[in-house]
């Protein structure tokens, strides 16, 4: 993301400062406050939750700094733009596709990013809506991998170790790579998964 901004918009973007808060809401507040002291000209942020960053974002706006939100509504209308997909629809389409791919029968595992907030709740709502017409689809568990392939791999490995039959997985982004590797390392057939997101790492591994 930083490289894209600096390469494609080199005549407009002098510097990109990136902060990673490690899924710690308090840390994200501290990061935003730190960015303000650095004299940023615009803030682009994905809030940790739909309530935890509201007053901080309002402070940024009050300082005259434009704010762009993505993925999660911040609990305030004090921002300049929002980039957000229909999360409920995303969940519903994923659940319907996997259910149809399995012929309406089987055990599935759902691995999402992080708990808490409207984003996670909307995804769950979408999954439930998508599974309503498939009573023979059994959800083994709903897990959180915090968007990391290492954690998603560990989750899948734990279910394999228990002897659970995993017929399909609802998962997104790089977390899908971890799931895929868990089956490869176990010498098992890779079940249908909803992941990919165009990441070359996942595609290369899938091709192998």
């Amino acid at each position: 993301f930083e490289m894209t901004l600096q390469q494609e918009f080199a005549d407009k973007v002098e510097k990109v400062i990136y902060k990673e808060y490690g899924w710690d809401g308090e840390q994200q507040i501290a990061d935003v406050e730190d960015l303000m002291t650095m004299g940023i000209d615009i803030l682009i942020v994905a809030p940790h939750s739909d309530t935890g960053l509201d007053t901080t974002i309002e402070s940024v706006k009050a300082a005259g700094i434009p704010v762009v939100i993505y993925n999660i509504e911040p609990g305030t209308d004090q921002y300049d733009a929002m980039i957000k997909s229909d999360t409920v629809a995303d969940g519903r389409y994923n659940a319907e596709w996997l259910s149809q791919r399995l012929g309406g029968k089987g055990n599935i595992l759902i691995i999402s990013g992080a708990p808490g907030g409207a984003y996670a709740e909307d995804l769950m709502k979408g999954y439930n809506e998508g599974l309503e017409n498939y009573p023979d689809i059994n959800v083994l568990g709903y897990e959180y991998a915090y968007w990391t392939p290492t954690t998603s791999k560990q989750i899948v490995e734990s279910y394999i170790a228990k002897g659970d039959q995993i017929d399909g997985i609802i998962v997104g982004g790089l977390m899908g790579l971890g799931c895929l590797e868990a089956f490869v390392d176990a010498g098992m057939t890779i079940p249908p998964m909803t992941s990919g997101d165009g990441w070359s790492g996942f595609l290369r591994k899938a091709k192998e």
Side-chain angles (χ1 to χ4, degrees):
F1 174 70
E2 301 99 294
M3 290 181 62
T4 298
L5 281 175
Q6 291 177 311
Q7 291 175 357
E8 296 187 18
F9 303 96
D11 59 328
K12 300 180 177 66
V13 178
E14 178 181 353
K15 184 179 183 181
V16 178
I17 305 170
Y18 179 77
K19 293 281 189 177
E20 174 55 62
Y21 67 98
W23 298 103
D24 182 334
E26 293 300 318
Q27 182 60 52
Q28 186 174 51
I29 292 173
D31 286 345
V32 173
E33 292 174 346
D34 189 32
L35 288 170
M36 289 179 66
T37 67
M38 296 180 183
I40 58 172
D41 297 299
I42 185 170
L43 173 69
I44 304 173
V45 61
H48 174 66
S49 71
D50 52 332
T51 57
L53 205 62
D54 50 357
T55 56
T56 305
I57 288 173
E58 290 170 356
S59 296
V60 175
K61 275 294 292 178
I65 302 171
V67 178
V68 177
I69 304 293
Y70 66 94
N71 282 357
I72 301 174
E73 295 184 18
T76 176
D77 60 1
Q78 296 301 299
Y79 55 84
D80 296 272
M82 174 180 290
I83 304 169
K84 183 179 183 293
S85 63
D86 186 335
T87 310
V88 176
D90 288 346
R92 182 170 62 249
Y93 295 152
N94 277 285
E96 288 177 345
W97 176 85
L98 186 59
S99 297
Q100 293 168 8
R101 180 72 171 73
L102 296 177
K105 182 187 299 183
N107 297 325
I108 69 170
L109 184 60
I110 298 176
I111 300 178
S112 194
Y119 182 82
E121 292 175 1
D122 285 349
L123 265 183
M124 176 63 82
K125 180 180 179 182
Y127 294 149
N128 290 335
E129 288 181 2
L131 295 172
E132 281 180 356
N133 296 322
Y134 300 94
D136 292 327
I137 293 291
N138 174 50
V139 179
L140 293 171
Y142 191 103
E143 306 284 353
Y144 296 100
Y146 296 88
W147 307 111
T148 65
T150 300
T151 304
S152 62
K153 181 179 181 180
Q154 293 171 346
I155 290 170
V156 173
E157 288 175 338
S158 69
Y159 279 84
I160 291 176
K162 289 190 296 182
D164 290 330
Q165 172 67 34
I166 305 173
D167 300 305
I169 301 179
I170 295 177
V171 62
L174 285 175
M175 295 184 294
L177 178 59
C179 297
L180 187 151
E181 290 179 340
F183 289 101
V184 171
D185 289 354
M188 301 173 66
T189 300
I190 303 167
M193 295 189 291
T194 61
S195 184
D197 269 11
W199 291 95
S200 59
F202 177 88
L203 297 176
R204 285 198 303 271
K205 198 70 175 182
K207 184 178 180 179
E208 291 172 9

